[in-house]
Amino acid sequence: MLRRIAIGIALVAAAGASVQTQPSAQSTGPQSVVAVRAGRLVDPETGTAAANQIILVEGERIREIGPNVAIPAGAPVIDLSKLTVLPGLVDAHTHMAITYKEVPENNVYYFTYVLDSTPLRAIQAASNALQLLSSGFTVIRDVGNNGMYADTALRAAIEQGWLPGPTVIPSGLIIGGTGGQFTPTPEMYKNHSIVYPEYFDANSPDEIVRAVRENLLFGAKTIKICVDCKPWGYSVDDIKLFIAEAAKGGAKVDGHVQTRDGGQRAIDAGIHVISHGQQLTPEQHTQMAQKGMYLASTDTPFTKYRGSVEGQKRAVDQLRSAWQKGVNVTFSTDMDYWNERMKKDSGEWMNRGDLTINFLLTWKAAGISAKDTLKAITINGFKAADVYGERGPIKAGHYADFIAVAGNPLEDIDTLRNVLFVMKNGAVFKKDGAIVLDKLLRPGPVNGWRRR
Ligand SMILES: [Zn+2]
């Protein structure tokens, strides 16, 4: 026992020494400035690009951008002069800490939650975070079904610097009326609370307030509700109460909507994001556009590993209608499954990032221009995630999150399928198409244990 303690102390001492002698790329003094030369710098908000720009990054943030920015003597220069630099990408509806499978659970996620513990799912989430960041996703909205707060733990671990990853906007538990999206047996519901923690029952104003406060307390940055998962659903007044209570903790509300009536109640209440919404009418899309609401319609394409021809057609028609009516459409996937057909023609596995960006298939089938798709997967996503004022657009003062691709995504959206460079919070995560991990794995909460 004593010997183990001695070894432990030696290891801690060694780790401390290595931190002092090898400062990481992200360890920031006011003097740590890096210059990035961008051959082309894209602004997805205006759909324009500027040639030969210099981005000065100081610590975690962008200090200055322009064609003639002076590079401080001795500052390292990252040469992306042959590439196009653009903001990171956003998946506005995903689930990092659940992976349901064909075997053994036949794609029924009620069973996944019985089979996979929250700790196992949290480790899956950490792996998914690395895979998504490698594909250029620097912000993701993670809207529930993550066991006992694996999503808020993932966010905290990334914020504290344990591992690199996208900025996670976690919802904590999905709040719904009795049952959530589950249809449990009476004995599993009443004797074993099978719905919790995948869903948090809230059936009255008091319970709504309590559920929102608990989620916020445990780290949620958005609130996700089941608007109409069951016939009882939530009324306009219920949804307004969610919005008011969430606002006290600086969060906005996202509603799972699967019926036309539920959609109308969410619109009337002025919810921030409607998720799914596959039954919404063109008239309801117009109302959403007038109110400046965001749609995360989770547009599954038909591929050899998922979906159907009819399913893709419905997704395409819905997405096109929303886009034509001027809704703030976001790129969103609902990726939370795996099967053995998720392989490239070469036989290599597609990773979580490949699977996510493959949803571009639906956007192309809907005839949405590359410019508008790029705006949806960046700007609209940053706004839906409510981070727009501090990260996302490549702007002085913002966090230094950006990616680079070959070619021009304003003309060919498929260029986003091959992200060659990723910077997140001022640290290089991917360079020349390869992940750089050695300096980004840390022995503790190097950014501060208070960061959440
Ligand atoms: Zn979902």
Side-chain angles (χ1 to χ4, degrees):
M1 193 54 159
L2 273 177
R3 192 168 157 263
R4 275 196 204 155
I5 290 169
I7 291 170
I9 290 167
L11 283 173
V12 169
S18 78
V19 167
Q20 280 163 8
T21 52
Q22 290 185 317
S24 75
Q26 201 174 324
S27 79
T28 55
Q31 70 284 18
S32 76
V33 175
V34 175
V36 178
R37 288 187 186 280
R40 185 193 281 128
L41 181 61
V42 166
D43 177 1
E45 191 140 36
T46 56
T48 57
N52 300 322
Q53 300 290 302
I54 294 167
I55 307 168
L56 272 195
V57 175
E58 181 171 10
E60 292 187 300
R61 293 181 187 259
I62 297 166
R63 188 166 96 182
E64 208 180 340
I65 308 162
N68 301 311
V69 170
I71 299 175
V77 177
I78 297 170
D79 184 11
L80 305 177
S81 59
K82 302 252 185 324
L83 301 179
T84 300
V85 174
L86 66 153
L89 312 179
V90 185
D91 185 343
H93 181 128
T94 191
H95 305 276
M96 302 290 274
I98 186 165
T99 311
Y100 60 84
K101 311 172 287 300
E102 289 177 341
V103 180
E105 64 259 53
N106 196 27
N107 284 334
V108 180
Y109 75 99
Y110 310 160
F111 299 135
T112 315
Y113 138 67
V114 175
L115 291 163
D116 291 357
S117 67
T118 297
L120 174 59
R121 290 165 62 177
I123 294 167
Q124 294 172 13
S127 174
N128 285 333
L130 295 170
Q131 296 174 51
L132 279 167
L133 187 58
S134 177
S135 286
F137 288 86
T138 54
V139 176
I140 56 129
R141 297 182 69 254
D142 188 336
V143 285
N145 293 129
N146 292 304
M148 193 62 93
Y149 297 99
D151 55 341
T152 61
L154 174 67
R155 177 189 165 93
I158 292 168
E159 292 300 310
Q160 292 179 7
W162 280 99
L163 80 165
T167 296
V168 179
I169 308 298
S171 72
L173 310 190
I174 299 172
I175 305 170
T178 290
Q181 284 178 264
F182 283 176
T183 45
T185 59
E187 56 271 35
M188 292 309 286
Y189 181 75
K190 295 178 81 79
N191 299 338
H192 301 286
S193 304
I194 188 104
V195 167
Y196 191 83
E198 294 305 311
Y199 298 92
F200 192 144
D201 282 353
N203 287 299
S204 65
D206 283 355
E207 289 179 359
I208 287 172
V209 167
R210 182 192 178 91
V212 170
R213 289 181 184 178
E214 273 196 29
N215 269 345
L216 294 172
L217 176 67
F218 298 136
K221 299 297 174 192
T222 185
I223 295 295
K224 172 81 178 300
I225 68 172
C226 262
V227 171
D228 55 3
C229 300
K230 292 288 184 287
W232 37 92
Y234 285 126
S235 68
V236 175
D237 283 345
D238 290 335
I239 301 169
K240 284 184 172 168
L241 178 58
F242 274 111
I243 294 169
E245 197 61 26
K248 292 178 189 168
K252 293 193 160 80
V253 178
D254 178 320
H256 168 109
V257 164
Q258 61 190 45
T259 65
R260 215 160 271 180
D261 285 354
Q264 194 58 51
R265 297 198 299 274
I267 293 167
D268 290 345
I271 211 166
H272 184 55
V273 179
I274 286 184
S275 277
H276 314 300
Q278 264 82 21
Q279 302 298 324
L280 295 175
T281 63
E283 158 59 18
Q284 287 178 313
H285 287 146
T286 300
Q287 293 176 43
M288 285 184 71
Q290 283 164 351
K291 289 195 162 195
M293 296 167 66
Y294 293 85
L295 179 66
S297 46
T298 60
D299 318 288
T300 305
F302 175 45
T303 57
K304 66 183 177 186
Y305 52 85
R306 189 77 175 178
S308 63
V309 176
E310 312 77 60
Q312 173 162 323
K313 187 182 179 310
R314 276 196 303 275
V316 162
D317 290 347
Q318 272 291 320
L319 183 60
R320 190 195 289 120
S321 164
W323 170 62
Q324 286 174 341
K325 296 294 182 189
V327 177
N328 293 320
V329 287
T330 65
F331 182 89
S332 61
T333 64
D334 220 5
M335 265 304 306
D336 49 10
Y337 41 87
W338 175 83
N339 62 56
E340 296 191 359
R341 299 182 301 285
M342 291 171 164
K343 286 181 179 169
K344 302 174 188 171
D345 294 338
S346 61
E348 246 183 300
W349 289 110
M350 295 175 78
N351 72 26
R352 177 66 181 261
D354 300 327
L355 293 163
T356 297
I357 198 66
N358 208 25
F359 280 64
L360 285 177
L361 288 172
T362 312
W363 291 74
K364 289 170 70 176
I368 300 175
S369 66
K371 267 186 193 176
D372 284 358
T373 303
L374 188 63
K375 188 176 174 190
I377 199 172
T378 55
I379 304 300
N380 291 356
F382 301 135
K383 290 181 176 174
D386 210 15
V387 299
Y388 179 79
E390 63 168 10
R391 68 169 75 241
I394 300 175
K395 217 172 128 178
H398 279 196
Y399 281 97
D401 295 357
F402 49 83
I403 65 175
V405 298
N408 186 354
L410 291 170
E411 285 161 11
D412 177 8
I413 200 69
D414 283 321
T415 56
L416 300 185
R417 288 173 177 276
N418 189 14
V419 169
L420 299 170
F421 175 89
V422 177
M423 176 174 277
K424 177 76 197 335
N425 281 35
V428 176
F429 174 74
K430 191 174 193 183
K431 199 163 181 272
D432 304 325
I435 293 175
V436 187
L437 258 190
D438 56 340
K439 291 197 173 70
L440 299 178
L441 296 177
R442 281 75 160 272
V446 296
N447 295 335
W449 61 270
R450 282 192 180 84
R451 275 173 72 154
R452 291 284 192 274

